[in-house]
Amino acid sequence: MDSDANVIAAGLGFTEGPVFLRDGRVLITSMDTGRLIWLDPERGVLKEHFVGSAPNGATEGHDGAIFIAQCGQASSIGAASALGAEGGVQVLERDGQLRWLTTEPTSPNDLCIGPDGLIYLT
């Protein structure tokens, strides 16, 4: 089978996403390493940020903050449960500060922000 696929990064763990950011980068979550990973389609990995436990999904907020569906210790993915984060919704602010928006529900799978500004999650 012929393929036009172009590998831009490898060894990133059990990844979810992708999230296509407004600035052209791509954001993925790595559930088994507890990281958010920013990719550039041409240059590969640009940066990483440790958020703990098992981030299962993410989305970009209207102000550029990243909202994270943190599956938390309920995850059964490898060592993720030992990385020490609760489940819920985290926010990674543009200045790099990580905070909890809520620890309910305890193990969200994914999320998005609607045009009304509300967060919808599963």
Side-chain angles (χ1 to χ4, degrees):
M1 175 190 299
D2 291 336
S3 173
D4 292 334
N6 182 26
V7 176
I8 60 170
L12 302 177
F14 185 90
T15 59
E16 292 281 340
V19 178
F20 295 90
L21 303 173
R22 288 186 290 267
D23 65 6
R25 297 178 298 167
V26 176
L27 174 69
I28 59 172
T29 61
S30 178
M31 289 185 69
D32 61 336
T33 67
R35 299 177 295 157
L36 300 181
I37 303 166
W38 286 259
L39 302 167
D40 178 275
E42 301 295 322
R43 299 182 293 160
V45 175
L46 296 174
K47 72 177 185 174
E48 301 178 18
H49 194 96
F50 182 74
V51 296
S53 203
N56 200 30
T59 192
E60 183 178 25
H62 299 295
D63 64 354
I66 303 297
F67 291 79
I68 305 153
Q70 178 58 266
C71 187
Q73 296 178 351
S75 172
S76 61
I77 305 294
S81 62
L83 294 176
E86 299 178 66
V89 177
Q90 294 172 301
V91 181
L92 180 62
E93 302 289 354
R94 292 179 53 157
D95 65 4
Q97 295 294 315
L98 182 65
R99 66 179 175 87
W100 285 100
L101 181 63
T102 182
T103 54
E104 297 292 332
T106 57
S107 297
N109 177 55
D110 209 347
L111 72 170
C112 67
I113 298 177
D116 54 7
L118 294 177
I119 297 172
Y120 296 87
L121 57 118
T122 58

